[in-house]
Amino acid sequence: MTATNKVDSGASMSVPTAGQKRLVIVGATGMVGGYVLRYALDNSAVECVTSIGRKRLGISHPKLKEVLHQNFADCSALADALLGQDAAVYCLGTYTGSVSDAELRAITADYTIEFARVLRGSSPNAAFSFLSGNGADPTGRSRLAFARYKGQAEKALLAAGFPRVYLFRPAYIYPVQPRKEPTFSYRLLRAVYPVFRLLFPNQVIRADELAWAMVDVVLRQTQERQGLVFENRDIRAMVESLHPPAG
């Protein structure tokens, strides 16, 4: 794996796809994962989608295969389901303050690393798109637990041996669809979003736009082995340059 590169926010990702891809999604019942699933199913470059999660999606689609899995601390049972995958989009996560520190570390870092281990064994040439977060710190020096654990997951993914790893570090993710906000801070951010977006455009991203970028990037073809970091401004630049469908 080459050294991780920061993405040039003006770089174009519009390289033609070659053939249909088999895509696996983890966390499709979540806010971003739900849009990832929608765009993958609608994308003509995707042959089939395998969704892995604890809960049923409640939808049917000719491209969709659901795999229920409860214990992400051990993903060995997923080895067969992960055979022959071209790419993975990993959106499983939780909110800081909604679980204990031990649970936060397990969900944020340990589950990611364990899933990547099994995927690498079953589909060693798969591309990996990971929903990280703003401030993720692979050095482990951050005072914020979330940043340390996301950084730990990033570091492990880059070392896992996948040919292409894409690390997405959004800042505030705007939910788009009304929902019950997990904390007071999120309720406040949603309320002030229109003003916040005008004043600090590089600190916000819509959930549907983030999801579109995460799907699009793993469907692109490149001969280079690479690990790329997409900060919030980079994600916005991708979206603006490629004009995704309205979500």
Side-chain angles (χ1 to χ4, degrees):
M1 176 66 68
T2 60
T4 306
N5 298 306
K6 294 283 183 144
V7 173
D8 177 356
S9 60
S12 172
M13 300 297 295
S14 54
V15 180
T17 57
Q20 289 187 310
K21 302 294 192 297
R22 299 173 60 87
L23 186 67
V24 59
I25 300 171
V26 180
T29 58
M31 177 178 66
V32 176
Y35 283 109
V36 166
L37 177 65
R38 178 187 303 180
Y39 292 150
L41 293 175
D42 289 345
N43 196 313
S44 61
V46 177
E47 175 188 350
C48 66
V49 176
T50 300
S51 172
I52 297 176
R54 292 192 178 99
K55 298 182 294 184
R56 290 202 175 276
L57 298 171
I59 65 171
S60 62
H61 191 283
K63 287 185 182 180
L64 178 62
K65 175 184 178 182
E66 282 194 70
V67 177
L68 294 182
H69 185 73
Q70 299 300 322
N71 181 19
F72 279 88
D74 183 359
C75 292
S76 300
L78 296 174
D80 288 345
L82 295 177
L83 284 170
Q85 298 293 339
D86 295 299
V89 182
Y90 192 95
C91 300
L92 185 67
T94 190
Y95 295 99
T96 302
S98 62
V99 296
S100 68
D101 182 73
E103 290 175 298
L104 180 64
R105 177 171 184 168
I107 295 168
T108 305
D110 298 345
Y111 291 0
T112 306
I113 296 168
E114 170 62 6
F115 175 81
R117 178 188 70 82
V118 179
L119 176 65
R120 180 75 174 85
S122 294
S123 297
N125 294 318
F128 201 110
S129 185
F130 176 58
L131 180 55
S132 187
N134 184 45
D137 180 15
T139 71
R141 292 194 292 264
S142 175
R143 293 182 180 180
L144 300 176
F146 174 83
R148 292 197 307 274
Y149 301 153
K150 282 293 188 185
Q152 182 182 348
E154 288 187 0
K155 186 175 181 179
L157 289 174
L158 291 171
F162 294 108
R164 294 183 291 138
V165 175
Y166 303 107
L167 308 173
F168 284 79
R169 294 179 178 175
Y172 170 60
I173 305 172
Y174 179 62
V176 184
Q177 297 294 328
R179 65 169 187 170
K180 182 179 180 181
E181 297 295 338
T183 66
F184 172 76
S185 296
Y186 280 94
R187 290 196 296 272
L188 180 61
L189 281 169
R190 184 180 181 91
V192 302
Y193 171 75
V195 175
F196 194 64
R197 186 170 186 265
L198 285 174
L199 296 177
F200 308 103
N202 286 324
Q203 293 300 313
V204 297
I205 189 72
R206 286 168 56 107
D208 54 348
E209 294 176 341
L210 170 59
W212 183 88
M214 292 185 72
V215 171
D216 182 80
V217 75
V218 291
L219 298 180
R220 304 293 162 178
Q221 294 285 32
T222 176
Q223 298 303 313
E224 266 187 89
R225 295 179 67 86
Q226 57 186 353
L228 299 180
V229 175
F230 295 90
E231 302 289 356
N232 201 95
R233 68 176 66 86
D234 305 314
I235 304 167
R236 287 179 55 86
M238 287 175 63
V239 170
E240 291 167 4
S241 67
L242 295 175
H243 306 291

